Amino acid sequence: ITITKENSKEWEEKLKDVTRITGNLYIYSNAELKAGKLRSVGGYLYIYSNAELKAGKLDEVKGEMYIDKTAKVSDNIIVLQVAKVL
């Protein structure tokens, strides 16, 4: 799923009751996504510059995760450590 500034409202409506995304989630620069029930992303999670993710308690990201230093995430999303196992 690709979220842009232009399509973020449309995707917020589609994802409002979704708890799990089985694939990748990309939130591009200056876009915002409110997905209050989201708990799991089955693929990559990328949040680019000045983008924002407001999600529920995100327990699981199965792929790579990238959060730009200028991006914002909900207070209840805490990134403790990201490690890639080879």
Side-chain angles (χ1 to χ4, degrees):
I1 297 172
T2 301
I3 308 298
T4 64
K5 187 175 180 179
E6 292 75 26
N7 72 9
S8 62
K9 295 298 178 195
E10 173 187 347
W11 276 107
E12 280 182 12
E13 182 62 29
K14 290 179 181 180
L15 298 174
K16 69 180 179 182
D17 294 320
V18 171
T19 59
R20 183 172 154 235
I21 294 173
T22 57
N24 302 326
L25 176 58
Y26 301 98
I27 304 174
Y28 281 96
S29 299
N30 302 309
E32 179 181 314
L33 177 64
K34 295 175 188 168
K37 296 182 181 180
L38 184 62
R39 295 184 60 96
S40 173
V41 176
Y44 296 166
L45 173 61
Y46 280 44
I47 306 174
Y48 293 93
S49 60
N50 299 309
E52 185 169 359
L53 173 61
K54 295 179 180 177
K57 184 179 177 191
L58 191 59
D59 296 324
E60 180 178 57
V61 176
K62 290 190 176 181
E64 292 181 13
M65 182 168 57
Y66 167 80
I67 301 174
D68 186 87
K69 66 181 179 180
T70 62
K72 297 177 184 173
V73 294
S74 302
D75 290 340
N76 58 339
I77 299 173
I78 299 171
V79 179
L80 298 175
Q81 182 177 8
V82 178
K84 185 173 183 179
V85 178
L86 301 175

